[in-house]
Amino acid sequence: MTTPKLLDDPARAVTDALRGLAAVHPELAVDPERGVVARADPDRRPGKVGLVSGGGSGHEPLHAGFVGLGMLDAAACGAVFTSPVPDQVLAATTAASTGGGVVHVVKNYTGDVLNFQMAAELADDDGIEVATVLVDDDVAVTDSLYTAGRRGTGGTLFVEKVLGAAAEQGRPLAEVAALGRDVVARSRSFGVALSACTTPGSDRPGFDLPAGEMELGIGIHGEPGRRRVPVPATGVAREVARTSVAAIDEDLPLAGEDLIVLVNGMGGTPLLELQVLAADVVDELTGRGARLARALVGNHVTSLEMAGAMVSVCRATPELLALWDAPVRTPALRWGA
């Protein structure tokens, strides 16, 4: 038996959620029926590079929750776990454009890649120059059912925050896009599921995960990872931290590096548990000779109500840290002046 959901009509879950976003965030221009969220603030400079991302809904606050000063200019919100269609992405691109071109931040899932590519071609026809940054930070799986190559997961947040700050500084399109590709190259993620999630309107979880087992290396839809193992009787957070950091370090050596670290809940994990995991992650990182420069803990790139977590790291530079620290004002992230 699945847990009831706080919905009025499962078929309108995304539309109604965007109505709620609009009701409590008047600084955003929200089109619930079309599935597009954009900045409505009047102080964007003409010629500023626009920043657009999007994807299937169900990962909140990604992406609509990151629209605002210092991050995205617009987001395209598809149906749950379904890529937005090209017309949605084009509408978001148009809303983000002020004459300096637009960067698309695209997670490496086949539907997203194809639909953003089509939207970029349509935008070009309208005189909007588009550059694409493809995020493929997941170290667990290559060439999955949903991707050619690695999946785009928690590292997307690093890209959106850093590029949002760079765009606010007035940097040109080519420079912002090149910076985004550098952030992707510096970022890696590994996720673990402790339970499955159920999409609105369904009467069963999206995948089978028996009680007492956990899936190592999941994507942000609960798609299969590297392997399934028993949940240890004690030290669950410690084991998740050890497994995640080891997988990341094997792919991208961390010793001697200053790191931006995201300990991300998948939607159904309380902050108390994420903080326990964060302590263990920091222990693992410092034990491997890395240094914690910045950290963010919470539910930022989710998978509906899935229990579990994802560890993401970015090998930082002084420039990236300055851009990370730059002011941001969005529904989900706010700091600085």
Side-chain angles (χ1 to χ4, degrees):
M1 180 177 177
T2 59
T3 302
K5 294 181 180 291
L6 286 171
L7 301 173
D8 295 324
D9 178 355
R12 289 183 55 85
V14 175
T15 303
D16 289 345
L18 290 176
R19 287 179 53 244
L21 184 71
V24 298
H25 288 285
E27 75 277 13
L28 299 177
V30 182
D31 186 336
E33 297 296 334
R34 200 169 190 181
V36 176
V37 178
R39 289 172 62 172
D41 50 308
D43 57 352
R44 283 190 298 157
R45 295 186 306 276
K48 172 192 170 297
V49 168
L51 196 63
V52 170
S53 194
S57 296
H59 306 303
E60 289 74 21
L62 192 80
H63 291 276
F66 297 140
V67 174
L69 174 74
M71 285 191 80
L72 299 177
D73 292 286
C77 308
V80 172
F81 294 172
T82 303
S83 172
V85 298
D87 284 351
Q88 288 178 282
V89 180
L90 177 62
T93 303
T94 302
S97 175
T98 64
V102 173
V103 173
H104 283 174
V105 179
V106 184
K107 301 186 303 301
N108 190 32
Y109 285 91
T110 301
D112 288 357
V113 172
L114 294 175
N115 288 346
F116 271 82
Q117 181 179 10
M118 292 177 64
E121 293 170 357
L122 293 170
D124 183 70
D125 291 342
D126 291 341
I128 302 173
E129 184 178 3
V130 174
T132 298
V133 174
L134 186 67
V135 183
D136 57 355
D137 56 307
D138 172 53
V139 303
V141 174
T142 300
D143 296 332
S144 70
L145 293 173
Y146 303 91
T147 61
R150 294 179 167 183
R151 303 174 293 204
T153 57
T156 309
L157 187 150
F158 299 144
V159 177
E160 293 180 355
K161 174 63 184 77
V162 169
L163 296 201
E168 296 289 353
Q169 292 178 350
R171 300 192 192 190
L173 179 66
E175 183 178 338
V176 173
L179 179 65
R181 296 176 191 122
D182 182 54
V183 174
V184 172
R186 293 173 171 274
S187 301
R188 299 291 189 274
S189 298
F190 189 90
V192 176
L194 301 175
S195 73
C197 61
T198 303
T199 57
S202 177
D203 60 357
R204 64 183 60 190
F207 66 101
D208 174 47
L209 184 59
E213 295 187 0
M214 58 184 180
E215 184 85 28
L216 303 180
I218 52 123
I220 57 176
H221 310 88
E223 60 268 35
R226 286 185 171 181
R227 64 186 186 276
R228 187 169 291 179
V229 299
V231 176
T234 60
V236 178
R238 191 176 304 112
E239 179 61 19
V240 169
R242 185 196 65 77
T243 301
S244 301
V245 172
I248 291 170
D249 190 36
E250 180 182 359
D251 192 86
L252 185 73
L254 303 177
E257 298 288 340
D258 294 311
L259 302 177
I260 304 172
V261 177
L262 170 64
V263 177
N264 175 67
M266 301 307 297
T269 301
L271 184 58
L272 183 146
E273 296 177 29
L274 293 176
Q275 289 172 331
V276 172
L277 176 61
D280 291 336
V281 166
V282 172
D283 286 346
E284 288 289 332
L285 291 171
T286 55
R288 292 172 179 268
R291 296 178 295 271
L292 180 69
R294 303 289 187 276
L296 188 62
V297 180
N299 289 290
H300 297 285
V301 183
T302 63
S303 188
L304 294 171
E305 82 282 19
M306 182 190 294
M310 178 169 287
V311 177
S312 299
V313 306
C314 177
R315 297 200 306 194
T317 65
E319 178 191 23
L320 293 186
L321 290 176
L323 292 167
W324 180 262
D325 291 340
V328 58
R329 290 199 300 272
T330 72
L333 285 187
R334 289 176 177 257
W335 61 67

